[in-house]
Amino acid sequence: MINITEPKLVERSEQHYVAIRKLVTMAEIGPTLPPLSDDVFAWLAEKGIQPSGAVFWRYNVVEMDKKLEIDVAVPIASAVKGDGQIIADVLPAGRYATMLHTGHPSELEEATANLLAWAEKNNIQWKMNGERWGGRVEWYYSGPDTEPDMSKWETELAFLTA
């Protein structure tokens, strides 16, 4: 059984961020995306910009049998201009359905399924533009640099509601 909190609805302010956006298959996520956060932090350091929170992945397009468009992102205090492979964007303000998962990253797919099922049961609609999510995010509050035991990693799911 996975360790997740009861889902809840939370109002959030907009959040500026910089990221590297990638198109990947489900199989490519693990080997491709985690190292990109180091590249984002290096770009921030080069520009003298302080991160303002935990690393997150924003799932822009989720087509499990095709490619997923994902931003490997670091929040920042205010808007900047990206360059090269770094993009600058903003998570919109609004009401997010959230849930905290504690455990191995391999359990996140099941945790996500739980959040989606809870929303469906409660008639909660997602903010979408066609296949694009308005805000579907995994916030990584711990990882290999802070907690060697992957079964103790904390990840918050936060999905923008319509």
Side-chain angles (χ1 to χ4, degrees):
M1 175 138 177
I2 64 171
N3 182 359
I4 51 178
T5 60
E6 190 65 32
K8 63 184 176 189
L9 295 171
V10 178
E11 287 292 329
R12 298 232 163 128
S13 311
E14 72 176 17
Q15 175 63 66
H16 292 277
Y17 69 90
V18 292
I20 297 174
R21 181 169 288 164
K22 286 289 184 187
L23 282 173
V24 292
T25 63
M26 282 297 290
E28 294 168 332
I29 288 177
T32 305
L33 299 185
L36 297 179
S37 57
D38 289 340
D39 296 340
V40 178
F41 280 118
W43 185 88
L44 287 169
E46 181 184 298
K47 303 287 185 195
I49 301 168
Q50 288 296 314
S52 65
V55 169
F56 65 90
W57 290 1
R58 180 180 186 179
Y59 290 74
N60 298 306
V61 178
V62 179
E63 294 182 280
M64 300 301 247
D65 54 339
K66 296 180 185 167
K67 296 252 182 179
L68 294 83
E69 182 186 290
I70 302 172
D71 292 351
V72 176
V74 177
I76 54 175
S78 57
V80 298
K81 193 170 173 58
D83 62 45
Q85 68 175 346
I86 301 292
I87 62 152
D89 207 339
V90 64
L91 279 175
R95 190 173 64 145
Y96 285 77
T98 67
M99 167 192 282
L100 185 67
H101 168 261
T102 304
H104 195 281
S106 65
E107 299 170 346
L108 286 170
E109 198 170 337
E110 185 180 349
T112 299
N114 280 311
L115 183 59
L116 294 171
W118 172 82
E120 189 173 325
K121 188 176 109 183
N122 290 283
N123 296 314
I124 293 169
Q125 301 296 309
W126 304 118
K127 178 91 169 165
M128 304 279 296
N129 181 3
E131 292 297 310
R132 280 191 99 63
W133 286 78
R136 179 174 171 165
V137 180
E138 291 176 355
W139 290 91
Y140 302 106
Y141 295 131
S142 51
D145 49 337
T146 57
E147 174 54 67
D149 183 351
M150 292 173 86
S151 70
K152 295 179 181 174
W153 286 9
E154 290 186 332
T155 306
E156 181 191 51
L157 305 177
F159 294 8
L160 183 60
T161 62

